[in-house]
Structures are given as C-alpha cells and as structure tokens.
Amino acid sequence: MKTCLISQWYQVKDQAEASYDSLEGINWVDYRDTGQDYPDHQDTVSSDGHGNHKEDSPFLSSADAASKKNDFYDRNLALFEEELDIRPKVSSLLSRLVSYTNITQGAKEHEEEESALASRRKTPKSPNMGTLMGVYLPCLQNIFGVILFLRLTWIVGTAGVMQSLLIVLMCCSCTMLTAISMSAIATNGVVPAGGAYFMISRSLGPEFGGAVGLCFYLGTTFASAMYILGAIEIFLKYLIPQAAIFHATDPPGSDSAMLNNMRVYGSICLSLMAVVVFVGVKYVNKLASLFLACVIISIVSIYAGAIKSMTHPPEFPICMLGNRTLVRDRFDVCAKTVIKGNITVPSQLWDRFCLPGNLSSTQCDDYFVQNNVTEIQGIPGLGSGIIRENMWGDYLQKGEILEKPGLQSVDVHGALENFGMYVSADIATSFTLLVGIFFPSATGIMAGSNRSGDLRDAQKSIPVGTILAITTTSLVYFTSVVLFGACIEGVVLRDKFGDAVRKNLVVGTLSWPSPWVIVIGSFFSTIGAGLQSLTGAPRLLQAIAKDNIIPFLRVFGHGKTNGEPTWALLLTGLIAELGILIASLDMVAPILSMFFLMCYLFVNLACAVQTLLRTPNWRPRFKYYHWALSFLGMSMCLALMFISSWYYAIVAMGIAGMIYKYIEYQGAEKEWGDGIRGLSLSAARYALLRLEVGPPHTKNWRPQLLVLLKLDEDLHVKYPRLLTFASQLKAGKGLTIVGSVVQGNFLDSYGEMQAAEQAIKNMMEIERVKGFCQVVVASKVREGVVHLIQSCGLGGMKHNTVVMGWPYGWRQSEDPRAWKTFINTVRCTTAAHLALMVPKNVSFYPSNHERFTDGNIDVWWIVHDGGMLMLLPFLLKQHKVWKKCKMRIFTVAQMDDNSIQMKKDLATFLYQLRIEAEVEVVEMHDSDISAYTYERTLMMEQRSQMLRQMRLSSAERQREV
C-alpha cells in the first residue's frame, strides 16, 4: 500500500511539473536518486494494525512524531492551530529570535546552494515567517540608522525643538503615506526579489521601472557609503582617535586631515565588507541578531539616561569664555589661574591665550582678558527647564563660534590664532539642509515587501509590520527630539562632534549606564546597516539586469553558480567608493535622499494610477488606501526633494529621465500589464470622445493618410517607396494607416492575412512610418479597398486622404480588373469626400537616407483646392530629405487674363499662407486650354474669381484704414 501511495505521489508530481512549469515558487525535491527515505510519508502515514494506513493526528502527542520532528511537532498543546499565531510558546519565540535574519528574499536559497550536501538534506518548507520576524524587525533595523546617533542631537540644537519636530513630521508622514501605497501594491500579488523596482515596473511599465529601479539602486548604494562613513566617524572620533593617519598642523587644516582619514579607512572598510558579502551572505545572516540587539540596546539606553537625568544628571561640565564655548580637551582646568602650593600660577587655558609663563594680561588675547571663564552643566537634566532655551533654532554660518545667549560677554575681537580654542560650526546650516540630512533616517520601509515570498501571510504581514515599524520609529524620533531638547544644553546640542564635552558622542553623554553603550552599539549597528545595504543593492541590480530592459546592464545579471551577483557587487563597490571619496556624511545624506524620494514618489504614483484606472486585476487585500493619500504622498516626496536640495533634485530627475528615454529608445519588449498602458488607453478614449464633439477646424487640418499598398505573391510590399513618401510627408505627425487587401475567404486566408500584416509592419519599421496597419480579406480586391476606405480609423481619428500608387502597365495587362480597381478607388474616394494622392513613378522617389542639397519642388496650381497643393510641399520640406529644396508655384492663365496682376495676387495669397515660394504664371491659348475638360475650365474660373475676391477684400481694408 505504501509503494502504491508513493508511486501515485510521483504521478501527481510529474503531472504538476508538466502543467505548472511556468509557476514560480513551486519547489520539488526528488528523493529517488538520493537513496533517502521519503520523509513526507514516513512522518504522516502509519498503520492501524489491520493493514490500513492512516495519518497521524496533529493534536495528539506522539513520541515517534517528536523524534522525527514532523511538521506538527511542538504544536500538540493547541486546541486550535490558530492559537499558535496568537499565543506562541516561549521556546518557539526565543528560537525564532535567535534565527532572526534581515537578508532579503532569495538570500537563503543562495546560502543553501553553497553546500550541495545541505541542499540534499533539506526538505522543501512552506514560508513560515510572521509579521514580527519577517517584516517588523527588519523594517525597524533598516529605518534606525546612523543619523539617529550622530546627527539628531545636532539637528535639534540647530533647528530647535519645534522645527525639528516639523522635520520629523514631514519625513515620517512622507514614508507613512508611501507605506500605505506600498502595502496596497504589495498585497495585490507576490513581490519577488527587487522590491520597489518590481512594484514600480509592474505597475508603471519597464521605462518607469527601469529608471526608478536604477535610482533606488543608486540610493541603496550611496546608503552603504553613508553607513560606512558614519562607522568610520565613530571609530576615529570616539573609539580610537589615535588611529588617525593624517594629522593637521594647524586647526584650520583639521577638516582636510579628517576627510583624508575618512577616505582611507572608509575604503578599507568597504573592501572588507565587500569580501564578506562575496564570501557568502550566511555570515551577514549570522550577525543580524547582534546588529538588531545593538540598535535596541542603544535606544533603550538613551531613554534610561533621560529618565535618570531627572534626579541624577550626568556630569559633563562645559567651559565657557564669555558666552563662547571652548574645546574642552585642550586644557585641564576651566580657570584662568590655579593655585599650586599657595602660589597662583597661570593655567593651561591661560597659556593657550597668553604668553606662556607670564601672568601679565598685556600679552593676552583681548577677548580672553575682558571676559570671565565659567563652567556650566552640559546635561542639566529633564527637570531643568532647558527646553525653553532649546525651543527655537540657531542656524550658523561656517566658522561661526557656538555661543550661549544667556551668558554675559564683552564683544571684542580676539586673535585669529586662538580661533581653534573655540567650538565652531563646520558647515553653514539651514532648514532645507537639515531636512536632506535627516530624511535617510526615515527610509528602509521596503524591507518587508522585499521578503513577501518568505512570509506565511504576506497579505497581512506587510501592511501591519511596515506601518507598525514606521509608527514605532516615528514615536522614537519624536520623543528623542523632545528629550534631547529637554535634557541637553543648547551649545552641546549644536556641537556636532562633542568638542565641548571632551570629544564624547553627544547622544552618549545622555545614555545610561555609560557613553560607551551608545558608542559601541551605534558602531556595530551602523556596520550592520552598511552590510545590509551592500548585500541588497547588488541583488536589486541583478533583478533589473535579469529583466533585460537595459541592454548594457545584462552582464550584471550573472554571478556565481549559486546565483550570488558577483559582477553587480563589483559595480556596487565602485559606486559606493565614490560616496566614500566624498568623505562627508552631511554631503552624502542629501544625495541618497533624492534617490529614495524619487523611488517613493513613483510608488505613490503607481498606487494612484492603478486606483484611478480601476483595472480588473487591481484587487489589493489591504483596503485602507485611497488615491488622494497617494497623491498627497507623491506631492510630499516632490516637495521634500526640492526642499532638501533643488539642484540635487534636478540632477536625480535628469538621471531618471535619461534612463527612461534610453529604455524607450531601445524598445523594451515587456508586457507586464502596467498602469501606464491602461492610462494610455483611458487618455486615448478621452481624446477620441473629445474629437467626436465637432469637425476639426481648418487651422488644425492636416492630411491623415490611408496608404493603400499592393502585395506580391510572396506577400512582400511591391512599392515600398510609397511608405517612404508617407513617412517623409508625415514626419511622425498625425495619423497614418497602411492598408492592404488579401483576396480570398476569411476562414481560409486568416493565416495569410496575419503574414501580410506582419510583412507590412516590418516594412513600416524599416521605412520609419509611425502608424497602424490594417489588412482585410475580401473576395474581390475592389470590395476590400472599399471596406478600407469606409471602416479604417476610429471615431474622430479617421483618414481624410487616400494615397495609392499609379497603375503601371494597365494597357498591357490581360486582366481588365487592373484599371477597373483604380477607377473604382478614385470614385469611392470622391464619394467619401476624401482627398486623393496618386504618386507617379514612386520608385524613383528619394529614400530617407538621401539628402537634396538643392533642387525645386514644382506645384502646378490649376484649380483652387483649398490650399492642399500648397500644403503638401510645405510638409515635405519639414523632412530632412527635402529641407534644402525650393518651392515653385506654376499657374496657368489665359491670354486675355492680366498675368502680372495674377502673379501679384498669387504672391499675396502665398504670403497670407506664410509659405515661401517662387510664383510663375504660364500663359496659354484658348485652343490649348480647350484640350482640358469643361469642368477644368470652370475650376480655373473659380480660381481666378477667388484671387479677384481676395484682391477686392484687400482694397476694402486699405480704404477702411
């Protein structure tokens, strides 16, 4: 019986593989060649003693089941299986925390591929990650970053508590609105590796997807550079300052020396991280729990220190000279003099501002002499009321000294050589600059959507986990701003590198139990964030390259045998090195802000477009979205881009625009059912309905062509220059329909019709004709032509001009239908009130590659046709082939006509038409003109009458003047 069951299982497996090869996410493990037992059936099939097999109950405890660790192990105490999601066992929760990973979807598969033995042993498991482990914690770890620990105190001190809260509100609101839109998109289907790129490309098309995907990739790459720079800043400023390679001989040169140190150590750190990622993501995976713990412990220590400061504020005194803040590590005692053995001697501070060893004030700095030295508490504590002083901002220019407004000071100029003793601003600050620096601390919201394939219930976990993570981080940021403003002295907050508190990390001075908790925790958490960015960016580039929408990126879709993106990692490292060479955290942060904001902008746009179009496949399970929220988020992203840095915003949009046009030019042959196509259909429908309102005005009239082509026996276009002429006449503007007739029965000739249509489309592409193709099957060619003339076009987008070739050899043709078809087409065109163009000797017309350097386009204006004969050569001259040709108008006059006046009238007529052309009048005898028909003579008289009326109206206008 067991053998029967197993063979039946293999039949089902083979049928499923044959039927569902195109489905993603179905992984079959074949045990036939491994020599192993069949675990599924060993674990689930048992005997009842009568030869009948039955399945073990998942609700009963079984020693055999426990020893084999089947799928129901550790669940035997639950009455209902749903209870385990609500009340998991403590042991299960702890084991999941230990095995926590922040690697994006697909990384585990790559890790397992590295060991063939491990891949044999592992059985396919269904996704089992919940909201906490799969979305909430990864988002939390990605959002919290280097800005919180290194720059938030400086932002609060510079912008003040109120404006800092506004900055946090703007950034967090932007990401919250984006998360709502992202949740709607992510719950409308599975989001595989690629995350934001996948969502945008499948919603807005390959052009937008490729452009924004590359921008998101650049943002993630620069984020890794920013995290590395932050880690190196912590290392050189607070951990081991003695490790600096370059040292400044004078204070003004300290900035350049620090930048060079950042470049050297940053490049070394980037190389080591790239090696770790290259060796295998499993090593990054093993450290994910450590990095997460560092983030949580660091944040908890800040809150613990703030609470403790209410009763026991930490001792971090600041030395002030007048109202100026002094660099505390350059002297020992905050006093001008000290007493040693009942003798007053100058202190180290005195020696810094005066001639060493001399108590005479005549040789001292004027500002030092006239101002007192005082010492104030750097961390007054939560109950000190310092928040009132920190409520409003104090923006500084580069080199401006940090001053405390409440202290008395005599405003005199000091010596320039003593400038290094004061704490000064290293960059000019403004509200917009601070927005650009802070925004990266609000990014990282895509971590959950990138892992949708690993989630037990992605439709539920992604929205809940992402929104909860943003809510948590937003609360942390809001409370941190208030706590920093309420606990720390303003000059310390504005001291970016902690010079006033003996080179301590400013946020570390508030933490409990020691500043080293923050320093070490922020260092490792920043290293972890850098590793995650350096791991995720190559995978994003690989996802873009595998879609093959950008040809020159195709090489980055390949990697190691296990799928690791080796070449993408190399490019990522090179681009990240550019960010390292910038060597300034404050300059790199606005760059990646631009790229992230552009990505979020298009996520909101994708949700809004899909919602407004109401496409049938738009059925997200997340229901708390609205197109107005998406447009608000999109507007906020655009506003933040220009608020942060308008020139960076223009550059980022320019890069995205060039990538978009490149993908469009290359012709991305991808059909993903995107919203832009639906938007185009809606716009086309709206435009067609508008065109139905009334006939077009004469100012908007232009020839809309129906080109009738003739095919040979092999379904090749007989006169391709007819298409060349149409492309030169239209130059890509207006409507062009290329039609042909296949003689026969529709049921029998459908395949032939498709082949003919494809042949015409290929020829249209060669001749660069932008238009539509329509081939009909008819029993007679004449009937097919009539059908084309009647039915081509849609609504207001219909042809008004028919172009057909001249019937060559109709006199010698044995088929009498040759000339009858032509005559019938002329009659049908006239009956339909359409213009008719019949190019003769079209095979001798120039191709699109030829250029006329000189020559004339001659127009014989015999009848008044409304100006069409004047318009056609003008349209031809718009094309590069005919651009340098001159236009000549010939008209015929009778002997008794006033030829001179007719020439003047015709020149005036052309002037009013704004057409430059030479005018020639050809006089003919009545006998020659009588060779034309009587109708042609009447038309000539109509033309002369039109010129006379035009002359009379001109004379009347002159009399009125």
Side-chain angles (χ1 to χ4, degrees):
M1 182 66 182
K2 181 175 181 178
T3 306
C4 180
L5 285 174
I6 294 172
S7 62
Q8 185 178 7
W9 177 79
Y10 274 112
Q11 291 176 6
V12 174
K13 167 186 175 295
D14 293 335
Q15 292 175 4
E17 284 181 295
S19 303
Y20 297 99
D21 265 345
S22 61
L23 292 181
E24 298 177 359
I26 298 181
N27 299 317
W28 299 97
V29 177
D30 198 340
Y31 291 91
R32 286 177 287 188
D33 301 328
T34 61
Q36 300 181 34
D37 293 331
Y38 301 92
D40 292 343
H41 296 277
Q42 276 191 341
D43 293 345
T44 58
V45 180
S46 60
S47 175
D48 59 359
H50 300 284
N52 299 322
H53 289 74
K54 61 180 181 178
E55 293 185 357
D56 291 335
S57 173
F59 306 106
L60 299 177
S61 178
S62 172
D64 181 62
S67 62
K68 294 177 182 178
K69 296 183 179 179
N70 62 5
D71 290 341
F72 305 111
Y73 173 66
D74 210 17
R75 293 192 180 187
N76 51 7
L77 297 180
L79 181 60
F80 298 103
E81 190 174 355
E82 289 78 4
E83 289 186 13
L84 292 170
D85 296 332
I86 303 171
R87 297 182 297 174
K89 290 182 65 176
V90 175
S91 59
S92 301
L93 180 62
L94 292 177
S95 64
R96 291 180 184 179
L97 284 172
V98 170
S99 61
Y100 163 74
T101 174
N102 195 28
I103 297 178
T104 55
Q105 179 179 347
K108 287 186 176 180
E109 289 77 359
H110 293 157
E111 179 183 337
E112 293 171 4
E113 282 286 343
E114 293 181 356
S115 173
L117 181 62
S119 64
R120 290 195 201 100
R121 291 176 180 173
K122 288 190 178 290
T123 59
K125 293 183 180 180
S126 59
N128 59 356
M129 298 186 72
T131 302
L132 177 67
M133 308 303 298
V135 182
Y136 179 74
L137 290 180
C139 284
L140 212 64
Q141 187 174 353
N142 278 268
I143 294 173
F144 285 133
V146 65
I147 302 297
L148 171 63
F149 304 114
L150 292 184
R151 293 293 182 268
L152 188 56
T153 54
W154 174 68
I155 291 173
V156 174
T158 304
V161 174
M162 296 303 295
Q163 292 187 27
S164 298
L165 290 175
L166 178 61
I167 292 173
V168 174
L169 178 64
M170 291 168 58
C171 297
C172 293
S173 299
C174 177
T175 54
M176 178 62 80
L177 292 172
T178 304
I180 293 173
S181 300
M182 183 202 69
S183 299
I185 299 174
T187 57
N188 195 49
V190 177
V191 180
Y197 159 72
F198 183 89
M199 286 189 288
I200 295 172
S201 61
R202 270 57 176 181
S203 299
L204 297 180
E207 294 87 1
F208 280 108
V212 181
L214 277 183
C215 286
F216 190 54
Y217 162 74
L218 292 174
T220 308
T221 304
F222 274 101
S224 65
M226 183 190 72
Y227 291 129
I228 293 173
L229 289 174
I232 299 304
E233 181 178 314
I234 296 172
F235 178 75
L236 292 176
K237 286 279 188 181
Y238 311 111
L239 277 177
I240 310 177
Q242 299 82 8
I245 300 173
F246 302 94
H247 300 277
T249 56
D250 54 339
S254 60
D255 290 342
S256 60
M258 183 61 185
L259 293 179
N260 290 329
N261 287 318
M262 297 277 284
R263 293 184 180 103
V264 173
Y265 279 100
S267 300
I268 295 172
C269 184
L270 175 63
S271 302
L272 293 176
M273 285 185 176
V275 170
V276 171
V277 175
F278 176 78
V279 170
V281 293
K282 60 183 179 182
Y283 300 105
V284 183
N285 185 22
K286 293 180 185 299
L287 297 173
S289 301
L290 172 64
F291 298 144
L292 178 63
C294 290
V295 173
I296 296 175
I297 292 172
S298 300
I299 294 174
V300 170
S301 69
I302 296 174
Y303 285 98
I307 295 172
K308 182 177 178 293
S309 69
M310 294 182 65
T311 56
H312 298 87
E315 290 292 330
F316 282 99
I318 310 170
C319 191
M320 308 292 296
L321 178 59
N323 64 351
R324 297 180 181 180
T325 310
L326 296 174
V327 178
R328 192 65 181 85
D329 65 330
R330 297 200 173 188
F331 51 91
D332 52 359
V333 180
C334 184
K336 292 184 178 182
T337 59
V338 293
I339 299 175
K340 291 184 178 180
N342 296 326
I343 300 175
T344 302
V345 295
S347 65
Q348 290 185 5
L349 184 60
W350 182 285
D351 293 340
R352 291 285 185 177
F353 285 93
C354 304
L355 190 65
N358 190 352
L359 281 174
S360 175
S361 61
T362 57
Q363 296 179 341
C364 292
D365 184 271
D366 290 341
Y367 189 86
F368 179 76
V369 172
Q370 299 187 36
N371 287 278
N372 297 324
V373 175
T374 56
E375 196 171 56
I376 62 174
Q377 185 59 262
I379 313 294
L382 195 58
S384 63
I386 195 68
I387 191 172
R388 288 190 294 269
E389 297 181 10
N390 296 330
M391 193 62 69
W392 308 109
D394 186 10
Y395 295 101
L396 303 175
Q397 296 299 317
K398 184 177 181 180
E400 190 173 347
I401 298 174
L402 272 63
E403 299 178 349
K404 181 174 174 57
L407 293 180
Q408 293 183 354
S409 173
V410 179
D411 191 11
V412 295
H413 292 287
L416 186 61
E417 58 268 18
N418 295 321
F419 179 78
M421 291 295 298
Y422 302 109
V423 181
S424 60
D426 63 327
I427 59 173
T429 54
S430 63
F431 179 80
T432 57
L433 175 71
L434 299 183
V435 172
I437 292 175
F438 177 78
F439 186 79
S441 62
T443 60
I445 62 176
M446 300 290 182
S449 63
N450 292 349
R451 308 155 64 91
S452 62
D454 298 332
L455 301 174
R456 186 188 309 116
D457 186 1
Q459 315 288 340
K460 173 185 175 183
S461 297
I462 290 177
V464 174
T466 305
I467 293 175
L468 279 180
I470 295 176
T471 304
T472 304
T473 54
S474 300
L475 289 175
V476 170
Y477 288 141
F478 281 120
T479 54
S480 297
V481 167
V482 176
L483 289 177
F484 293 158
C487 297
I488 305 176
E489 175 63 46
V491 290
V492 179
L493 288 173
R494 289 188 289 276
D495 183 7
K496 184 186 294 185
F497 302 113
D499 293 329
V501 286
R502 295 186 181 274
K503 301 290 186 182
N504 280 296
L505 183 62
V506 174
V507 69
T509 60
L510 181 62
S511 65
W512 181 85
S514 170
W516 288 102
V517 175
I518 289 287
V519 173
I520 297 175
S522 61
F523 176 76
F524 282 107
S525 65
T526 305
I527 290 290
L531 277 172
Q532 291 157 16
S533 298
L534 204 60
T535 304
R539 300 187 187 284
L540 176 59
L541 182 61
Q542 187 182 43
I544 299 173
K546 284 185 175 180
D547 272 343
N548 199 23
I549 59 175
I550 305 177
F552 67 84
L553 293 180
R554 196 172 301 153
V555 65
F556 299 108
H558 307 291
K560 294 193 292 186
T561 55
N562 63 348
E564 285 291 327
T566 307
W567 293 107
L569 176 62
L570 179 61
L571 179 64
T572 302
L574 293 176
I575 297 175
E577 179 62 22
L578 297 178
I580 297 295
L581 293 178
I582 295 175
S584 174
L585 183 68
D586 302 323
M587 294 182 66
V588 174
I591 296 176
L592 65 98
S593 294
M594 292 302 110
F595 292 124
F596 278 122
L597 280 168
M598 180 163 291
C599 175
Y600 296 165
L601 184 150
F602 280 97
V603 169
N604 286 293
L605 176 62
C607 180
V609 168
Q610 297 279 25
T611 305
L612 290 175
L613 290 178
R614 298 179 182 178
T615 52
N617 71 324
W618 179 245
R619 301 183 301 273
R621 291 190 179 274
F622 180 74
K623 301 300 181 182
Y624 304 101
Y625 69 94
H626 195 269
W627 64 266
L629 293 177
S630 299
F631 270 114
L632 179 60
M634 184 177 65
S635 303
M636 289 192 67
C637 289
L638 188 62
L640 284 174
M641 287 178 67
F642 283 92
I643 287 174
S644 302
S645 176
W646 63 269
Y647 45 88
Y648 278 162
I650 292 175
V651 170
M653 295 173 73
I655 292 174
M658 287 188 292
I659 298 171
Y660 177 92
K661 296 304 293 183
Y662 174 78
I663 298 174
E664 186 181 49
Y665 174 76
Q666 290 293 329
E669 297 179 358
K670 297 289 182 181
E671 178 54 53
W672 289 324
D674 52 87
I676 290 298
R677 186 172 181 85
L679 185 63
S680 300
L681 290 172
S682 298
R685 172 183 171 275
Y686 175 77
L688 287 172
L689 291 175
R690 287 291 303 272
L691 290 175
E692 284 287 295
V693 175
H697 194 272
T698 53
K699 292 181 180 180
N700 299 325
W701 193 94
R702 67 184 308 133
Q704 315 289 3
L705 303 183
L706 169 61
V707 183
L708 300 177
L709 289 183
K710 188 175 182 180
L711 305 178
D712 57 17
E713 292 80 3
D714 298 326
L715 299 180
H716 295 151
V717 179
K718 199 167 186 179
Y719 300 110
R721 286 297 168 85
L722 205 60
L723 291 175
T724 308
F725 172 70
S727 69
Q728 295 170 2
L729 186 64
K730 299 295 291 181
K733 306 295 189 300
L735 175 68
T736 303
I737 303 174
V738 181
S740 186
V741 180
V742 174
Q743 192 170 0
N745 182 270
F746 179 76
L747 297 177
D748 300 331
S749 305
Y750 181 73
E752 186 179 357
M753 181 195 73
Q754 286 186 316
E757 188 172 340
Q758 188 59 46
I760 293 175
K761 286 182 178 179
N762 294 338
M763 186 57 63
M764 290 173 65
E765 186 175 353
I766 294 172
E767 298 296 337
R768 298 179 182 176
V769 177
K770 296 181 179 180
F772 308 95
C773 173
Q774 186 166 352
V775 179
V776 298
V777 179
S779 57
K780 296 181 180 180
V781 175
R782 283 186 295 172
E783 294 179 0
V785 171
V786 172
H787 293 331
L788 288 173
I789 293 174
Q790 289 184 86
S791 61
C792 277
L794 179 64
M797 286 293 288
K798 294 183 70 69
H799 56 278
N800 55 26
T801 304
V802 177
V803 181
M804 61 183 301
W806 183 262
Y808 299 103
W810 61 274
R811 293 181 183 274
Q812 294 80 18
S813 177
E814 297 179 358
D815 187 2
R817 293 174 297 179
W819 63 270
K820 288 184 179 180
T821 301
F822 178 77
I823 296 299
N824 186 69
T825 304
V826 173
R827 295 178 63 185
C828 291
T829 303
T830 305
H833 300 286
L834 303 176
L836 178 64
M837 295 171 57
V838 185
K840 194 173 182 180
N841 297 323
V842 72
S843 300
F844 299 102
Y845 279 35
S847 67
N848 287 325
H849 303 289
E850 299 180 31
R851 302 287 187 277
F852 287 139
T853 56
D854 56 1
N856 299 309
I857 302 176
D858 294 340
V859 177
W860 285 83
W861 193 45
I862 307 298
V863 299
H864 175 50
D865 56 357
M868 184 175 178
L869 280 175
M870 310 294 184
L871 181 63
L872 293 180
F874 171 78
L875 295 176
L876 280 176
K877 285 189 64 177
Q878 306 305 307
H879 198 272
K880 53 188 175 183
V881 174
W882 306 86
K883 196 172 187 65
K884 295 185 178 180
C885 294
K886 295 181 180 179
M887 182 175 166
R888 296 190 302 184
I889 306 295
F890 292 89
T891 185
V892 178
Q894 297 175 341
M895 297 299 296
D896 55 350
D897 288 336
N898 189 343
S899 302
I900 298 176
Q901 186 61 45
M902 184 178 291
K903 185 175 182 178
K904 290 181 179 180
D905 294 341
L906 187 55
T908 304
F909 179 58
L910 291 175
Y911 178 78
Q912 293 177 354
L913 291 177
R914 300 171 302 284
I915 295 177
E916 296 182 2
E918 298 179 9
V919 178
E920 297 291 340
V921 178
V922 180
E923 296 182 349
M924 298 181 66
H925 293 281
D926 293 342
S927 58
D928 297 329
I929 296 178
S930 63
Y932 293 93
T933 60
Y934 176 71
E935 292 180 358
R936 178 63 58 87
T937 305
L938 290 178
M939 291 180 182
M940 291 177 61
E941 292 178 357
Q942 292 176 0
R943 179 206 62 190
S944 301
Q945 183 179 1
M946 183 270 297
L947 292 175
R948 286 195 297 270
Q949 289 177 354
M950 184 181 64
R951 187 169 62 251
L952 290 174
S953 61
S954 178
E956 290 176 358
R957 285 196 298 270
Q958 290 178 359
R959 284 197 299 270
E960 290 176 0
V961 174

